[in-house]
Amino acid sequence: MLDATLKGQLQAYLTKLVHPIELVASLDDSDASRELQSLLAEIAELSNLITLVEKRDDDERKPSFSINRKGGDMSLRFAAIPLGHEFTSLVLALLQAGGHPPKVDQEVIDQIKALDADFHFEVFMSLSCHNCPDVVQALNLMAVLNPRVSAVTIDGALFQKEVEERQIMAVPMIFLNGQHFGQGRMTIEEILPKLDTKVAEREAEKVSARAPFDVLVVGGGPAGTAAAIYAARKGIRTGLVAERFGGQVMDTLGIENFISVKETEGPKLVAALEEHVKAYDIDVMNLQRVEKLVPAAESGDGYIHLTLASGAKLKSRSVILSTGARWREINVPGEREYRNHGVAYCPHCDGPLFKGKNVAVIGGGNSGVEAAIDLAGVVGHVTLIEFDKQLRADAVLQRKLHSLPNVKVITHAQTKDIVGDGKKVNGLNYIDRASGDLNHVDLEGVFIQIGLVPNTEWLKGSSMALTKYGEIDIDARCETSIAGVFAAGDVTTVPYKQIIIAMGEGSKAAISAFDYLIRHSAPEAAAAA
C-alpha cells in the first residue's frame, strides 16, 4: 500500500521509537479489513519495536486498530485506514505511543496529565478533510499522556451506517462520553479549556499582564501575519492576537494564484506563515477573541484598549484590525436549522459524507463552481444554483464544470428555502426568476458558497466607521476613522478579497502604523512633556 519513498520516510521516523508498541487489529472478511491488515503489516515490518496482533472475535468496530505501548495503559484507536490527510496523525500516534516527545509546550502536557476525570472521545472525520487532523492529533495525544482519556477516530465514509444513525453530516464531529462535544477544527489548546475552566482563567491572567504594545495586530490570517512581520522588522514592540491563527485560509484547500507558488494548500500556507512569524520577536496570543475596542481619546491613559472574550485586557499605541471574513449565509428558512445536518460550507471536509447522494451547491462564482467540481467526483449528482443569469466563475472552471456528466446548472434562480424531515435535509425549493415558478429539488445536502461577510459585529455601535456591508472603511493608507487604528484585508473596503492582496494590505497597514508612531509620542513621553 505504501510506495517505496513513503516507506523509506516512515522507517526513518520509526527509528525515533523509544519503547516497543503493539498494534491490535480488529478485522473481519471485508475488503476494508484486508486493506487495513496490509497497511499495518507493512508498518510492523519497518521496525522491530512494532508488533502486530490480529483479532476477529472482539466487539470493536471492524476494521479498526488500537495503538498501545507494551505494558502501557493507553486507549487510542483508529476505526479507519488512516491515509490521506490522516497519515500524519497515524505517524504521530505511533511515535508518541513509542515514547517520542510531542512538540507541545510543557505547560500543555502538564494540563493534560492533570485531567482528573474519565473522558471518552469519538471523532468522526473524512480522509479528505484538512481540518480533521488537528482534532485527531489533539485527542490522540491526550490519550497517550493520560490513561483516563480514550480516543477513537472514525472514518465516516468507512462507517456510513453509523454516520446515518447518529445523524453526522459534517466533520470533524466530536463526541465526549456519548454526548456531542463540538464540531469543526479544534486544537488541543481549544479543547483543554472546555475540560478544565481554570486553564482559560490562567491564560487570561497571563494575557492581561502584558506590557503595552507599540503595534497590536488583531487577526492571524494573511493580512494580520504580514502586518505583524512588517511591524516587527521596524524593531517596535509587536503583538498579534487571533481567534484562530490562519483564519479563513485554514479552510481553503487548493491555492493556485499565489504568485511564485504554483500550487499549495491553505494549511500548508498557514504553517509557512506561522514559521515566518516565529522568526521575529512577535508576541502571539492565539485562541483569543477581541470583543471591544476603546480609542486612545476615550481610554484615559492615551493607549488604545482592547478587551478579549476571556476578560483579559490589552493596551497598545496603535492597532491593526485584520479580522477577516467568514462564509456568507443565504439567510433562508432551513439554513440554520439544518446546519451540520445537511447544510454545509466546506465541500472538501464534508463531501465524503455524501458519497453517492444528491447534493446542491448554491453560488456560481469561483468558490461555488470549484465546490461543484470537487463534489462531482464523490457524490451521485450535483445541482448548482446561481441567482444571476450566468455563472461568474473563471472560464476555465466553467468549461470543466460543463464537461461533467453528473452536474446540472440552474441559473437565474432564487433559493426560497431548504427543507427536511426535522432531522436532516431532504430538499430545496427555488424560484425561477424568469417565470416566477416555484421548483423543488430532492437532495440530501446543500453546500453554500456565496462569498464572505466581514467579521466586524463586535465593532458595531462603536465609533468605527463601517459600510452598509459591515466592512471597515479605510483610506489608501489603511487608516480608519479612529486615530491610531488601521485595518487590512478582507475585513475592509479594499476590493477583491484575495490572499495576496490581503498580504499587501497588511504590509501597508504596518508601515502606516509605524509612520503614525514616529509622528506621535508615547503616552508616557507626552505626559512628561
Side-chain angles (χ1 to χ4, degrees):
M1 290 188 64
L2 304 177
D3 61 35
T5 300
L6 197 55
K7 275 188 179 181
Q9 293 172 342
L10 180 56
Q11 190 168 32
Y13 279 119
L14 294 178
T15 60
K16 299 178 182 180
L17 293 175
V18 179
H19 305 291
I21 59 176
E22 188 174 66
L23 308 180
V24 180
S26 299
L27 306 171
D28 54 20
D29 295 325
S30 66
D31 290 341
S33 282
R34 283 187 282 273
E35 187 177 354
L36 177 61
Q37 192 278 337
S38 177
L39 172 64
L40 297 180
E42 288 185 18
I43 293 173
E45 289 175 357
L46 298 178
S47 173
N48 58 10
L49 290 179
I50 300 178
T51 302
L52 174 60
V53 177
E54 298 181 16
K55 291 187 175 181
R56 293 178 176 270
D57 56 354
D58 58 0
D59 295 327
E60 300 291 347
R61 293 179 179 89
K62 294 180 175 56
S64 69
F65 67 99
S66 64
I67 302 175
N68 199 0
R69 186 177 303 167
K70 284 193 175 180
D73 187 20
M74 298 176 192
S75 184
L76 188 163
R77 177 171 293 274
F78 284 90
I81 303 170
L83 298 174
H85 285 295
E86 293 300 341
F87 186 68
T88 300
S89 301
L90 170 61
V91 175
L92 288 175
L94 293 170
L95 294 179
Q96 291 164 1
H100 185 67
K103 292 183 178 180
V104 297
D105 294 339
Q106 185 60 45
E107 183 180 6
V108 172
I109 293 175
D110 293 340
Q111 290 168 358
I112 294 171
K113 290 182 176 180
L115 292 173
D116 191 22
D118 294 323
F119 299 103
H120 174 59
F121 286 100
E122 298 169 291
V123 55
F124 285 82
M125 58 78 181
S126 67
L127 297 180
S128 61
C129 170
H130 54 282
N131 287 326
C132 294
D134 284 330
V135 178
V136 172
Q137 291 164 24
L139 299 179
N140 284 348
L141 178 58
M142 292 171 64
V144 167
L145 295 177
N146 190 324
R148 300 193 68 176
V149 178
S150 64
V152 183
T153 298
I154 306 161
D155 181 359
L158 199 58
F159 292 89
Q160 200 79 35
K161 182 179 179 181
E162 188 171 355
V163 163
E164 293 177 359
E165 289 175 349
R166 298 176 74 166
Q167 299 294 314
I168 295 164
M169 307 189 79
V171 292
M173 185 74 72
I174 312 166
F175 292 86
L176 171 59
N177 298 334
Q179 301 298 314
H180 179 261
F181 178 78
Q183 67 269 338
R185 180 180 179 269
M186 296 176 71
T187 63
I188 199 163
E189 291 82 4
E190 291 172 285
I191 293 171
L192 283 171
K194 293 177 177 288
L195 306 176
D196 180 1
T197 56
K198 292 181 180 179
V199 172
E201 293 172 3
R202 290 193 294 268
E203 185 61 26
E205 291 176 359
K206 288 168 57 180
V207 171
S208 291
R210 257 78 165 185
F213 293 94
D214 292 315
V215 173
L216 183 58
V217 179
V218 182
T225 53
I229 289 169
Y230 262 70
R233 285 175 60 86
K234 296 295 185 181
I236 56 180
R237 178 165 163 73
T238 304
L240 185 152
V241 57
E243 185 173 358
R244 181 178 69 151
F245 193 92
Q248 188 79 4
V249 178
M250 282 298 297
D251 301 324
T252 304
L253 193 57
I255 299 173
E256 299 178 352
N257 56 359
F258 190 78
I259 309 306
S260 82
V261 179
K262 183 178 179 182
E263 182 179 346
T264 188
E265 296 177 357
K268 290 182 180 179
L269 178 58
V270 170
L273 292 175
E274 189 170 15
E275 286 301 309
H276 201 168
V277 167
K278 287 179 178 178
Y280 291 92
D281 187 14
I282 299 170
D283 188 349
V284 177
M285 294 157 280
N286 195 19
L287 308 178
Q288 299 288 339
R289 186 175 78 253
V290 178
E291 289 193 335
K292 184 179 180 181
L293 182 149
V294 178
E298 302 173 15
S299 67
D301 61 5
Y303 285 104
I304 300 165
H305 288 209
L306 292 175
T307 302
L308 311 186
S310 64
K313 298 181 184 297
L314 295 168
K315 298 180 181 180
S316 186
R317 293 175 60 195
S318 66
V319 169
I320 298 173
L321 302 178
S322 54
T323 49
R326 63 187 183 278
W327 295 117
R328 184 180 297 277
E329 298 178 350
I330 55 175
N331 293 315
V332 301
E335 179 182 12
R336 294 194 175 184
E337 292 86 341
Y338 290 106
R339 180 175 294 175
N340 297 324
H341 294 279
V343 173
Y345 298 84
C346 181
H348 306 294
C349 300
D350 300 331
L353 299 177
F354 296 86
K355 183 178 181 180
K357 299 179 180 179
N358 296 337
V359 304
V361 172
I362 299 176
N366 282 352
S367 296
V369 172
E370 287 174 350
I373 292 170
D374 290 341
L375 288 167
V378 178
V379 305
H381 187 271
V382 180
T383 301
L384 188 146
I385 298 175
E386 164 57 28
F387 184 83
D388 206 348
K389 291 183 179 180
Q390 58 188 15
L391 300 181
R392 294 166 286 108
D394 294 342
V396 63
L397 293 174
Q398 292 194 44
R399 285 196 295 271
K400 174 64 175 178
L401 180 74
H402 290 303
S403 72
L404 301 173
N406 62 333
V407 174
K408 179 180 180 181
V409 177
I410 301 174
T411 57
H412 212 205
Q414 178 182 350
T415 302
K416 180 178 180 293
D417 55 11
I418 298 169
V419 296
D421 60 7
K423 294 183 178 180
K424 59 183 180 179
V425 167
N426 60 22
L428 176 151
N429 296 315
Y430 72 91
I431 298 171
D432 185 319
R433 296 179 60 214
S435 66
D437 294 340
L438 180 65
N439 298 277
H440 177 80
V441 181
D442 289 324
L443 43 81
E444 294 169 274
V446 179
F447 290 81
I448 298 171
Q449 302 279 297
I450 60 168
L452 304 171
V453 58
N455 295 317
T456 56
E457 287 82 1
W458 64 284
L459 289 169
K460 291 176 181 177
S462 70
S463 56
M464 178 67 69
L466 305 175
T467 68
K468 64 180 181 179
Y469 301 108
E471 297 171 320
I472 299 175
D473 197 2
I474 60 171
D475 62 13
R477 297 168 58 86
C478 296
E479 294 175 320
T480 72
S481 59
I482 299 176
V485 179
F486 303 82
D490 289 1
V491 75
T492 72
T493 51
V494 66
Y496 313 120
K497 314 303 185 185
Q498 298 290 313
I499 293 171
I500 200 163
I501 293 174
M503 286 183 172
E505 289 292 303
S507 306
K508 183 169 63 174
I511 296 172
S512 295
F514 180 72
D515 184 64
Y516 169 85
L517 291 174
I518 61 178
R519 296 172 188 274
H520 295 78
S521 300
E524 295 86 353

